[in-house]
Amino acid sequence: MSTSAPALDHDAVVADTVHWLEKAVIGLNLCPFAKAVHIKKQVRYVVSEATTPEALLEKLMEELEHLAEADPEKLDTTLIIHPHVLKDFEDYNEFLDVADAALEDMDLDGILQVASFHPDYQFADTDKNDIENYTNRTPYPTLHLLREESIDRAVEAFPEASEIFEKNMDTIRALGHDGWDKLMADKA
């Protein structure tokens, strides 16, 4: 099995991801906490060339360490975008256990966490094409590294945080597939 992959245009991958962030996450207010860190340029975009889960784990651990050591005022969150590995959602979903184990092994559990986004994201008990899955669908498989302190502050500022999931489902249902496609196609 070959592990070589076509060269990535990192700028294009980041641009696609920023487009998704601005149009869907911020534009639809799927995460009320995302806008502030985006405006303050506190999001690190890392495009991984990994072609194996092992190489991705190595990159994940590097980025967990980088985020843990960084000044939170300068770097609040990291998106590891990995177009060449874990394209299959089931494989990706299984890797999340590996990511959680890495947090524990690095003594970062409770300090950082890993959130998950994927082009084929599917919540349990949903059909693959259910529109609700699109709340977590990205252009490329992506691991989102977050600071627990930032989440705690955001939840304090937004006491209805527990309602975000249901609000997102309502928003995405109202948008529908056609609305989602139009939103993502609009590069203006």
Side-chain angles (χ1 to χ4, degrees):
M1 179 170 131
S2 172
T3 57
S4 65
L8 287 173
D9 179 343
H10 287 231
D11 292 339
V13 170
V14 170
D16 290 345
T17 302
V18 170
H19 174 74
W20 162 78
L21 179 72
E22 291 175 345
K23 293 290 186 172
V25 178
I26 295 170
L28 296 175
N29 200 29
L30 297 178
C31 177
F33 322 123
K35 186 175 182 179
V37 294
H38 177 64
I39 289 171
K40 293 183 205 174
K41 300 192 182 311
Q42 294 173 313
V43 181
R44 177 176 164 92
Y45 298 91
V46 176
V47 180
S48 172
E49 296 277 352
T51 58
T52 66
E54 296 78 16
L56 180 60
L57 176 59
E58 188 175 314
K59 176 54 83 179
L60 171 63
M61 293 174 77
E62 286 173 20
E63 291 302 323
L64 286 168
E65 187 173 318
H66 182 86
L67 182 59
E69 293 175 358
D71 177 352
E73 293 300 314
K74 294 183 180 172
L75 177 61
D76 191 68
T77 191
T78 300
L79 294 174
I80 304 173
I81 311 154
H82 48 96
H84 292 313
V85 65
L86 303 177
K87 292 189 235 181
D88 177 81
F89 180 68
E90 292 302 320
D91 294 340
Y92 173 85
N93 207 29
E94 287 178 21
F95 183 83
L96 296 175
D97 291 333
V98 174
D100 287 340
L103 279 170
E104 288 183 30
D105 291 346
M106 297 174 73
D107 294 323
L108 294 173
D109 190 35
I111 298 168
L112 301 178
Q113 69 174 251
V114 179
S116 55
F117 298 94
H118 193 278
D120 296 320
Y121 197 94
Q122 184 175 350
F123 290 105
D125 301 322
T126 64
D127 183 73
K128 179 180 174 128
N129 294 318
D130 285 351
I131 191 66
E132 292 84 358
N133 295 315
Y134 285 68
T135 62
N136 285 49
R137 289 204 176 167
T138 49
Y140 309 98
T142 302
L143 298 169
H144 182 191
L145 314 184
L146 302 117
R147 296 176 185 277
E148 292 273 352
E149 285 180 358
S150 297
I151 295 167
D152 293 343
R153 276 193 314 273
V155 169
E156 264 182 45
F158 191 84
E160 299 85 24
S162 62
E163 298 170 12
I164 292 172
F165 179 77
E166 281 304 318
K167 183 190 121 344
N168 288 351
M169 294 298 144
D170 292 343
T171 298
I172 210 80
R173 282 184 203 111
L175 189 66
H177 286 283
D178 290 341
W180 177 266
D181 292 345
K182 185 177 185 305
L183 182 73
M184 290 296 99
D186 181 14
K187 297 279 187 176

